[in-house]
Amino acid sequence: MKDVKVVSYGIGVIGRRLATHLLGKEGVEIVGAVDINPQIVGKDLGEVLGREKLGVKISDDADGVLSKTKPDVVCHTTMSYLSQTFDQFDQILKHGVNVVSTCEELSYPYATEEGAEYAKKLDKIAKKYGATLLGTGINPGFLMDTLPTFLTAVCEEVEDIYITRQMDAATRRVPFQKKIGAGLTVEDFRRKIEDHEITGHVGLEQSIQMIADALGWELDEIRVDPVEPVVLDHDAASEAIRVPKGHNAGSKQKAYGIREGRALITTDFRAYIGAPEEFDSIRINGVPPINQKISPCVHGDHGTIAITANMIPLVINAEPGFKTMIDLPVPHATPKHMGKYIK
Amino acid sequence: MKDVKVVSYGIGVIGRRLATHLLGKEGVEIVGAVDINPQIVGKDLGEVLGREKLGVKISDDADGVLSKTKPDVVCHTTMSYLSQTFDQFDQILKHGVNVVSTCEELSYPYATEEGAEYAKKLDKIAKKYGATLLGTGINPGFLMDTLPTFLTAVCEEVEDIYITRQMDAATRRVPFQKKIGAGLTVEDFRRKIEDHEITGHVGLEQSIQMIADALGWELDEIRVDPVEPVVLDHDAASEAIRVPKGHNAGSKQKAYGIREGRALITTDFRAYIGAPEEFDSIRINGVPPINQKISPCVHGDHGTIAITANMIPLVINAEPGFKTMIDLPVPHATPKHMGKYIK
């Protein structure tokens, strides 16, 4: 069996963890690395990952890397929005190279007109150059969209769907804790939201649109509530951040897929220090009703890295074009030599 | 949008419920019905379903029905084993007609050499005549195989998987309660097991083999424990059957996918009157660990009918050949006009 040749595109926090995971997998070879961060361009990927040299220099010249290494797939972990990543995908696809990306908006671009336009263009380019492009991740990409879609398969009727992800931010990276404003006063939190220093979870609209399209539900609108602070009536703390009683412990946000004034799909996202329970839950109000819970919730970073790696063979096996998670066969772990899963 | 034309093949308990469900679905037309039961052959399907006449006579001549009605798909619900159903599939496929079947062994025939031989032949016939064949159902077909496979997608590493389905038989059909020997003395239960009057759940081997193949795990053996009685230390009862303390309340059975003496996959099936809790659970020992529970468990009959109907568009959209649930795209409910889901 032949190794799968991968280029790591984006050597940030997730890119580094993903590269480390891929290096530990049988049948995967990282043949190139791309990033624009001047602090790491020119360095060996292995060194940046805190291990022995790999002979793979991080380059800011994607075209050069792709021409030289001719990979089977690019694992792409740079930015959240297609306005930021479109040119990167365009460039990679024109080399005829498959892409698995964690770009949140790419997980289901059809939630917005602009996104749908990008998807159409990317599909055309991918088909022209014989490559496949997929957006995935733990959320969006799996927990609040592909998994609930999948679970409806055992329902004769579906009335509505309510999806919750509740995370205790104390168990997550410090940058994540800061991103959700943990430890701030409520006033400071609201100011940072207004100044766009703190943003909500990216992907609630995408998740709702994926489920609606899969089920054939035509929504009147997707309403995304503002990001809200979470204020506890007791002190809480992570190793790095103290949250005094009355201060902000994190953030919560809901979004709704609405038809005729009724929420057919609700996504309820909560991440804060001191959450009493961590879980992912899906309640389908239907025949039969489905009441599902994953407890504790799936770890975000591990989950994203896993599904990005695990989708590699399904993307290589797929026909050319832009795909979403509901277009490809049932995903699964890839614990053995990656070549085993390639058709 | 055009209606999907269906022939109902098998008008037993599940076939009748499935036909009733399909008649309530937008964009589905039942154009023919096949069964060999002399008590219903020649009768109108609608009458047999306890509703107004449909103008569809139940026939024991499958060839005649298929030639005359030229359906898009056959919904097949006759028997559990390929030795019983192979000729039926052979006949249907030779009309170039797609099939969704609840035949348990068809859900993943590769668990046995004989099954794999059948699958190979059916794949060849299906491809030759341009039709697609799928085996599905709630279990096997979803809860103990496709769902656990799907959940491993968010795992970087998988050590082992433990899957449980626990049902309170009191909530199920009386024939099901009798099938599991509820109310018998333990002695009578064991005798009926020996006489093959009571059989275990069909599909544990198939479920294990599907997961193993998806993950690329080569098993040394699949071990299926004997069916065991469930004896409670208190009285229990369904509406129809009384289970005195010390008598048998139902049955339980485990199966194991083993490599190097270790169970990588365990399926643990329990159905008895008086079960304190109904649930479907999956525990993946991996990175990250996954601890998932559906509570109460998915209702078996509703779930089987739902997934059989919901797979119709995915089977029609698929390329010809014999497919399993892990070959097709992520399944989902079909609450709108069935034509919406056809590509």
Side-chain angles (χ1 to χ4, degrees), chain B residues 18-290:
Chain B
L18 177 57
T20 301
H21 173 60
L22 291 173
L23 288 169
K25 283 185 85 68
E26 217 187 321
V28 176
E29 191 191 347
I30 297 185
V31 296
V34 176
D35 203 288
I36 54 163
N37 177 356
Q39 292 188 306
I40 58 170
V41 168
K43 289 195 179 160
D44 187 274
L45 176 64
E47 278 185 299
V48 170
L49 300 178
R51 48 196 292 163
E52 73 283 6
K53 282 197 182 187
L54 291 166
V56 173
K57 283 247 177 312
I58 297 170
S59 166
D60 57 3
D61 171 19
D63 267 330
V65 169
L66 294 168
S67 299
K68 209 178 77 183
T69 60
K70 302 195 188 313
D72 299 302
V73 64
V74 164
C75 287
H76 175 274
T77 59
T78 66
M79 310 284 274
S80 300
Y81 295 99
L82 277 163
S83 57
Q84 303 161 319
T85 55
F86 175 83
D87 289 344
Q88 298 171 353
F89 297 136
D90 177 64
Q91 190 179 32
I92 303 164
L93 292 170
K94 283 179 175 161
H95 286 266
V97 172
N98 303 304
V99 189
V100 184
S101 172
T102 59
C103 170
E104 280 91 337
E105 196 180 3
L106 189 73
S107 69
Y108 207 77
Y110 309 104
T112 63
E113 271 180 47
E114 192 198 5
E117 270 306 305
Y118 281 125
K120 204 172 148 186
K121 283 184 203 167
L122 288 168
D123 186 55
K124 207 171 153 186
I125 299 162
K127 282 178 175 150
K128 182 171 171 190
Y129 291 91
T132 307
L133 169 67
L134 173 75
T136 191
I138 195 70
N139 181 33
F142 191 87
L143 291 169
M144 297 183 104
D145 36 42
T146 313
L147 177 57
T149 298
F150 181 84
L151 288 174
T152 66
V154 298
C155 296
E156 293 177 37
E157 318 283 345
V158 181
E159 283 300 310
D160 51 59
I161 304 173
Y162 196 104
I163 305 152
T164 308
R165 177 158 171 78
Q166 178 165 305
M167 293 161 53
D168 179 3
T171 69
R172 295 305 192 276
R173 286 178 277 131
V174 174
F176 179 81
Q177 295 171 19
K178 291 198 170 154
K179 200 177 109 181
I180 60 174
L184 300 178
T185 63
V186 173
E187 201 178 18
D188 282 350
F189 176 84
R190 293 209 188 274
R191 193 182 42 74
K192 286 191 181 223
I193 291 278
E194 268 174 40
D195 296 349
H196 301 287
E197 280 182 63
I198 291 176
T199 53
H201 171 72
V202 180
L204 297 178
E205 284 169 277
Q206 283 70 28
S207 290
I208 288 172
Q209 192 66 51
M210 180 195 283
I211 299 169
D213 284 354
L215 269 61
W217 280 346
E218 277 156 35
L219 302 174
D220 297 329
E221 62 161 329
I222 296 177
R223 203 177 80 218
V224 183
D225 275 357
V227 183
E228 289 291 328
V230 179
V231 181
L232 304 179
D233 59 1
H234 53 83
D235 293 350
S238 68
E239 270 182 43
I241 294 178
R242 218 171 55 82
V243 184
K245 173 178 163 180
H247 278 220
N248 183 51
S251 70
K252 59 184 181 181
Q253 190 172 22
K254 282 194 195 182
Y256 314 85
I258 294 172
R259 194 180 58 199
E260 290 167 9
R262 205 163 70 81
L264 300 185
I265 303 164
T266 304
T267 52
D268 183 346
F269 184 84
R270 314 162 189 168
Y272 59 100
I273 290 176
E277 191 191 356
E278 295 203 293
F279 63 90
D280 292 294
S281 71
I282 298 166
R283 197 214 61 220
I284 302 172
N285 183 14
V287 180
I290 302 289

Side-chain angles (χ1 to χ4, degrees), chain A residues 156 218 292 302 340-341, chain B residues 156 215 218 292 302 340:
Chain A
E156 293 177 38
E218 276 154 37
Q292 191 251 24
H302 282 301
K340 264 196 126 141
Y341 313 103
Chain B
E156 293 177 37
L215 269 61
E218 277 156 35
Q292 191 251 23
H302 282 301
K340 263 196 126 142

Side-chain angles (χ1 to χ4, degrees), chain A residues 138 142 150 152-156 214-216 218 291-295 302 306 310 328-329 332-333 335-336 340-341, chain B residues 138 142 150 152-156 214-216 218 291-295 302 306 310 328-329 332-333 335-336 340-341:
Chain A
I138 195 70
F142 192 87
F150 181 85
T152 67
V154 299
C155 295
E156 293 177 38
L215 269 61
E218 276 154 37
N291 182 38
Q292 191 251 24
K293 194 169 186 179
I294 299 176
S295 176
H302 282 301
N310 290 333
L328 296 182
H332 54 78
K336 308 300 286 181
K340 264 196 126 141
Y341 313 103
Chain B
I138 195 70
F142 191 87
F150 181 84
T152 66
V154 298
C155 296
E156 293 177 37
L215 269 61
E218 277 156 35
N291 180 39
Q292 191 251 23
K293 193 169 186 178
I294 299 177
S295 175
H302 282 301
N310 290 332
L328 296 182
H332 55 78
K336 307 302 283 181
K340 263 196 126 142
Y341 313 102

